[in-house]
Amino acid sequence: MRNKKPVSRYQTPSRPRYSGPRRKKQAFWLIGGLLALGVLVFLAIQLRVWLVSRPYRLITEEQAPKSQVIVILGAKVEESGAVSPALRDRLALGLALYQQGKAPTILVTGDGQNQSRNEVEAMEQYLLEQNVPQEAIVKDPRGLNTYASLYRAKHKYGFDSALIVTQNYHLGRSLYLGRRLGLDCYGLGSTDAVFQPVNIPYNYAREALARIKAFFNAEIQQLEVPLKD
């Protein structure tokens, strides 16, 4: 009979080895759980933006309360310097509110750094051609995105109440940011019909992603924007 090898009482018991299929199953559930969590966070943020903005979306110009300023958010300017159809619609809606006496001032805000496609200069020129007095127009050339435009409207130009004008697809995020930044704001959306039908789903998909950034900027980071011109 062979002698058995003595086992040391200090010997560490061997760990069970997991088979390949079991590891794959664990990885599958981990990845699936993370994806599910990501989807829930995404949907929760969309709901948050919708709930904050919904009570302040207006359907008609007549519903708009009197405010300190009409904020017209910038959009594309053509290479010729002319306003794009989308921006023209925003300006026309903002002009209608001004002509109805909803606010004494119009803030045109956008990218005023691009010399060939200066949004703010193009917007001002449009309003001047529609007989809006120069003194009724405030220009913000550093409204480089929606957050910056509304932050500066509140903290640089000192407005407390505002009517925000943009496209329908963009209005929810704009109102959400305005409200989170301390503006007593309501909003009107111009039609999305100026866009090619094939581009409308893309705009809404892009906007859904932009709401994620807006949420983190406004509620997590509480981002501060430079106020110098």
Side-chain angles (χ1 to χ4, degrees), residues 204-221:
Y204 277 90
R206 180 176 176 273
E207 187 63 20
L209 294 176
R211 290 176 179 180
I212 307 298
K213 179 182 177 183
F215 174 83
F216 279 95
N217 285 346
E219 303 207 33
I220 306 300
Q221 290 179 292

Side-chain angles (χ1 to χ4, degrees), residues 14-185:
S14 60
R15 296 180 181 178
R17 295 183 179 180
Y18 296 106
S19 62
R22 185 171 180 180
R23 288 184 177 178
K24 289 180 180 179
K25 187 176 181 179
Q26 289 176 331
F28 172 81
W29 283 110
L30 176 61
I31 293 171
L34 291 174
L35 287 175
L37 179 61
V39 170
L40 287 175
V41 170
F42 176 83
L43 293 176
I45 290 175
Q46 304 303 313
L47 181 61
R48 168 70 172 162
V49 172
W50 183 78
L51 289 174
V52 170
S53 64
R54 183 177 179 272
Y56 308 102
R57 293 184 73 122
L58 306 174
I59 305 301
T60 65
E61 299 155 22
E62 290 72 25
Q63 293 176 319
K66 290 196 173 183
S67 302
Q68 292 177 324
V69 66
I70 298 163
V71 179
I72 305 178
L73 298 171
K76 179 183 175 182
V77 170
E78 308 292 354
E79 290 184 7
S80 64
V83 297
S84 63
L87 185 52
R88 186 181 300 111
D89 273 8
R90 297 184 189 190
L91 287 162
L93 183 53
L95 177 64
L97 291 170
Y98 174 79
Q99 291 173 335
Q100 291 180 31
K102 299 297 185 178
T105 304
I106 299 176
L107 172 62
V108 290
T109 174
D111 184 359
Q113 311 302 306
N114 190 325
Q115 296 302 315
S116 60
R117 296 186 177 186
N118 190 312
E119 295 174 7
V120 172
E121 294 297 332
M123 295 164 78
E124 179 191 39
Q125 186 59 37
Y126 175 97
L127 294 173
L128 291 174
E129 290 173 358
Q130 303 301 317
N131 299 316
V132 177
Q134 179 80 63
E135 58 270 22
I137 303 172
V138 176
K139 298 188 295 181
D140 182 7
R142 291 193 176 274
L144 302 181
N145 54 55
T146 307
Y147 187 96
S149 293
L150 298 172
Y151 185 97
R152 287 167 61 86
K154 170 69 176 179
H155 297 284
K156 178 175 176 60
Y157 298 101
F159 295 114
D160 294 315
S161 61
L163 297 172
I164 299 174
V165 177
T166 184
Q167 252 73 37
N168 273 320
Y169 78 90
H170 182 225
L171 185 58
R173 176 163 59 100
S174 302
L175 284 169
Y176 164 77
L177 285 173
R179 285 276 158 181
R180 294 303 302 162
L181 290 170
L183 279 171
D184 179 16
C185 58

Side-chain angles (χ1 to χ4, degrees), residues 6-14:
V7 178
S8 171
R9 61 178 176 176
Y10 300 107
Q11 183 175 345
T12 303
S14 60

